[in-house]
Amino acid sequence: MNPNQSSSVRQVDAVVVGAGFAGLYMVKKMRDDLGLTVQAFEAGQGVGGTWYWNRYPGARVDSQAYIYQYWFSDELLGEWDWSERFPAQPETERYLNHVADKFDLRKDIQFGTRVTSAHYNETAQRWTVTTDGGQTVEAQFLLMGSGGLSAPVVPPFRGYESFKGQCIHTAYWPKEGVDFKGKRVGVIGTGATGIQVIQTIADQVGHLTVFQRTPNYTIPMRNPKYDDAKRAALRTEYPVLKERVHDTFAGFNYDFTDRSFLDIPFEERQEMLQKLWDDGSLNFWIGGFREVFFDEKVNEEVSNFVRDRIRVRINDPQVAAKLVPSDHGFGTRRVPLENKYYEVYNRDNVELVDVKATPIDCMTEKGIRTSEGEYELDILIMATGFDAGTGALTRIDIRGRDGVSLNDAWSSGTRTTMGLQVHGYPNMFMTMGPFSPAAAFCNVPTCLQQQIDWITDCMQFVRDQGRQAVEATAEAETNWIAHHDEVAQMTLVHKTGTSWYMGANIEGKERRLIPYAGGANTYRKACDDVKARGFEGFALS
Ligand code: NAP
């Protein structure tokens, strides 16, 4: 027993924060592969993370089901039947529940419990973790599966408290659902979430008012149902897919062409774009031309291709002008898939308010007041996003060596080594951390599994060496950040700079690309190289 340990405090090898895609896999790996004692804490009452909380109408995955899953168990792959190409939230939540049951993960997860602080004790080389229920647990390793898009943000509108109607952030959607029948409903936000909500509820509500600040480029989703024959065919591809996803830029099964856009004759490249478009997936974005991310001329042609396809779907040219993006290029912000989204604005019961032109002034007792007037609402839906990448971490009181809080450490600039560790925070590992592709530029399960496999190997290495702790060195961190920034600055995402990708949705947040833009494949190779060199850049003690 270490000197600072009190006998009443529960001791485990690893604390896992969260029971979503990452947390579940962490529990499995720690317990079944490394033989460690694990305690996971999950704020929700069930497993699922993102897929537990985001149960708003229309919530659905944008990656094809057959690559949005775990690869670690052939038995699981063989028995789970996906019903369609892009399953809705309840199906993904059911899948994660099935995984939790099948691998008996629940016994190591405490639900309805939020981790409030985690302090590193340098003498003991252990983390002291406390929860909102007043519990304390001590652990050698602290594993953050707390999510990259899990700290919801509600804009600080003046008069927020005065609103007499129902106000709901999409990430806190009530389990019992919401009755929209005959109601005057407002939606603030037209990101991936807002679009899914709007297209789903428009025909259920009495009247819908959409408050849009920035229109986004979208791609029409093609979502065929799967039958047994299709599922059987997909299963034959799993052995290839499970390797393939780690070998592509964005962790999908498709990847950029090596052909140069401008070397291809105009007609031919337009045909190529059309073919990608018709796939009805993110293939058009991350399976087409990589120059879209770097070359303004290429980006403009692709942007125009998309603008033309949006515009023709909207009857009123004035409404169309508001919905067609003009102030940024295609793919420089997250591109959502949509399903009959634009047709919503041809309905009589739907009104689009451009809150860039007529900004929201405040919330009132009755609804929303913009510079143009008041909109009366019974229900207001905040599809206003998240404090991405850093929010889930900085909302916990994490203190590393010398008691330095992560919040303070990052106040002068976010620092991570490969999004996996932060210098000064030994034995704390992150998934979906800033400066890794998992933070946004990756099919999430691909990158989570790659990161957790690497973390597991790193922890095994610490044990094999008979050591207690591992910590990214300051030098490795500086080098990774320099590389991250260099790649980021080459992209148009960096130049556009207006979305959560750049921290731009949070006032006062550092404007720096959160996800690593070098590709999931490049990143994986970099992680593998670090491992092959005995976890170079990570010091043991
Ligand atoms: P988001 O992309 O950050 O969108 C938030 C929306 O709220 C934006 O339209 C934003 O406008 C607006 N907004 C924020 N503050 C506002 C204010 N004060 N006044 C007016 N408008 C305001 O958040 P999200 O839609 O929740 O999506 C976040 C990420 O989650 C996505 O990018 C995606 O990665 C993931 N997601 C995935 C899926 C899927 O796979 N199917 C579905 C949903 C979400 P501005 O753009 O002008 O800031």
Side-chain angles (χ1 to χ4, degrees):
M1 187 179 258
N2 72 60
N4 299 309
Q5 186 172 301
S6 108
S7 56
S8 63
V9 173
R10 183 152 174 249
Q11 304 294 320
V12 291
D13 295 318
V15 159
V16 169
V17 183
F21 249 107
L24 291 178
Y25 189 45
M26 283 167 163
V27 170
K28 168 100 182 64
K29 292 286 283 184
M30 298 306 117
R31 195 186 66 190
D32 299 348
D33 287 15
L34 295 185
L36 304 185
T37 52
V38 186
Q39 177 62 62
F41 293 109
E42 164 57 54
Q45 296 296 345
V47 301
T50 283
W51 299 105
Y52 172 87
W53 293 104
N54 289 268
R55 50 184 75 243
Y56 59 82
R60 184 178 291 284
V61 69
D62 271 355
S63 302
Q64 307 95 289
Y66 53 83
I67 54 158
Y68 199 84
Q69 60 181 343
Y70 293 115
W71 298 111
F72 65 82
S73 161
D74 287 339
E75 204 177 289
L76 175 65
L77 288 165
E79 73 192 13
W80 184 262
D81 287 336
W82 293 110
S83 71
E84 55 186 343
R85 193 182 188 206
F86 297 106
Q89 175 270 334
E91 186 165 340
T92 307
E93 189 188 15
R94 267 199 311 279
Y95 169 72
L96 292 169
N97 273 280
H98 174 75
V99 171
D101 291 335
K102 181 175 177 67
F103 300 100
D104 200 13
L105 303 178
R106 284 179 213 279
K107 67 173 187 232
D108 293 311
I109 305 168
Q110 185 174 312
F111 295 100
T113 306
R114 193 175 281 282
V115 168
T116 50
S117 73
H119 295 178
Y120 188 65
N121 178 332
E122 205 174 345
T123 315
Q125 292 182 296
R126 289 177 78 78
W127 284 91
T128 303
V129 177
T130 56
T131 72
D132 58 357
Q135 269 168 293
T136 303
V137 177
E138 288 179 0
Q140 184 182 0
F141 296 101
L142 176 63
L143 304 174
M144 305 303 294
S146 43
L149 291 159
S150 54
V153 172
V154 175
F157 293 123
R158 208 160 47 82
Y160 181 85
E161 301 299 333
S162 61
F163 181 55
K164 292 274 192 283
Q166 192 180 4
C167 183
I168 320 163
H169 190 286
T170 45
Y172 294 127
W173 204 262
K175 257 187 163 172
E176 61 280 11
V178 176
D179 182 9
F180 295 116
K181 204 157 169 250
K183 299 275 170 55
R184 299 164 301 175
V185 179
V187 177
I188 301 182
T190 52
T193 303
I195 285 173
Q196 290 185 332
V197 172
I198 292 161
Q199 69 194 13
T200 307
I201 66 169
D203 64 358
Q204 300 170 25
V205 304
H207 188 271
L208 180 64
T209 311
V210 176
F211 299 92
Q212 172 192 267
R213 195 163 60 184
T214 312
N216 279 304
Y217 294 92
T218 58
I219 298 167
M221 172 186 279
R222 207 172 58 78
N223 190 17
K225 300 277 180 228
Y226 288 162
D227 56 17
D228 284 343
K230 179 66 184 173
R231 283 190 281 266
L234 282 172
R235 281 200 179 100
T236 65
E237 293 178 33
Y238 283 176
V240 173
L241 283 173
K242 108 192 238 186
E243 301 302 323
R244 167 78 182 149
V245 291
H246 289 297
D247 226 9
T248 62
F249 176 83
F252 282 70
N253 50 327
Y254 35 71
D255 207 354
F256 299 126
T257 171
D258 284 328
R259 297 181 69 185
S260 162
F261 190 79
L262 294 172
D263 286 348
I264 302 170
F266 178 77
E267 302 295 334
E268 189 186 340
R269 65 192 189 227
Q270 288 281 311
E271 272 171 34
M272 288 174 77
L273 288 177
Q274 187 62 46
K275 197 159 169 248
L276 290 164
W277 186 257
D278 292 341
D279 188 53
S281 68
L282 296 178
N283 203 348
F284 182 84
W285 182 26
I286 44 187
F289 297 89
R290 61 168 57 78
E291 294 113 303
V292 166
F293 287 94
F294 304 102
D295 185 322
E296 284 182 34
K297 202 168 158 204
V298 172
N299 187 283
E300 183 61 9
E301 188 175 320
V302 175
S303 298
N304 283 332
F305 181 98
V306 182
R307 287 176 186 134
D308 290 346
R309 278 154 186 76
I310 295 175
R311 199 175 290 111
V312 292
R313 291 170 57 187
I314 305 145
N315 296 343
D316 181 339
Q318 283 183 342
V319 176
K322 290 180 193 169
L323 287 165
V324 175
S326 57
D327 67 350
H328 64 280
F330 173 81
T332 58
R333 297 157 54 97
R334 167 66 148 79
V335 180
L337 299 184
E338 56 81 25
N339 182 13
K340 300 201 171 65
Y341 174 63
Y342 296 100
E343 287 70 17
V344 159
Y345 296 95
N346 297 333
R347 297 176 60 92
D348 290 340
N349 70 332
V350 177
E351 180 180 8
L352 178 64
V353 179
D354 177 354
V355 293
K356 201 168 253 170
T358 57
I360 295 175
D361 174 32
C362 63
M363 284 173 69
T364 65
E365 219 175 276
K366 292 184 181 158
I368 292 276
R369 181 172 300 130
T370 70
S371 61
E372 214 172 37
E374 190 175 28
Y375 296 84
E376 295 190 8
L377 305 167
D378 302 307
I379 300 171
L380 176 59
I381 299 172
M382 298 279 190
T384 45
F386 303 88
D387 184 355
T390 53
L393 299 160
T394 54
R395 287 182 188 189
I396 298 172
D397 175 23
I398 296 175
R399 289 171 194 265
R401 269 191 292 106
D402 304 322
V404 177
S405 99
L406 188 63
N407 214 349
D408 288 347
W410 280 357
S411 63
S412 52
T414 307
R415 298 185 285 107
T416 79
T417 303
M418 309 178 100
L420 289 163
Q421 274 210 325
V422 183
H423 176 65
Y425 298 79
N427 282 357
M428 181 180 88
F429 291 99
M430 304 173 292
T431 48
M432 292 187 84
F435 312 157
S436 72
F441 291 161
C442 191
N443 170 42
V444 169
T446 302
C447 283
L448 285 180
Q449 289 173 89
Q450 179 268 332
Q451 288 194 313
I452 294 164
D453 289 346
W454 187 95
I455 291 167
T456 308
D457 291 345
C458 184
M459 289 166 65
Q460 182 66 52
F461 182 75
V462 175
R463 300 204 141 206
D464 288 348
Q465 301 292 310
R467 311 301 282 273
Q468 288 300 312
V470 57
E471 177 188 353
T473 65
E475 189 192 359
E477 195 154 272
T478 303
N479 291 343
W480 181 255
I481 295 169
H483 169 64
H484 168 87
D485 285 348
E486 191 185 351
V487 178
Q489 281 156 20
M490 288 192 282
T491 68
L492 298 174
V493 181
H494 187 269
K495 287 186 187 139
T496 297
T498 60
S499 77
W500 65 262
Y501 281 177
M502 289 290 296
N505 64 326
I506 307 289
E507 211 175 317
K509 189 166 174 173
E510 174 191 30
R511 297 288 187 270
R512 192 179 216 156
L513 190 63
I514 293 172
Y516 172 64
N521 44 1
T522 309
Y523 174 82
R524 184 191 56 155
K525 184 167 181 322
C527 290
D528 287 350
D529 287 348
V530 165
K531 184 172 101 181
R533 292 195 295 267
F535 292 90
E536 187 183 65
F538 292 80
L540 303 189
S541 56

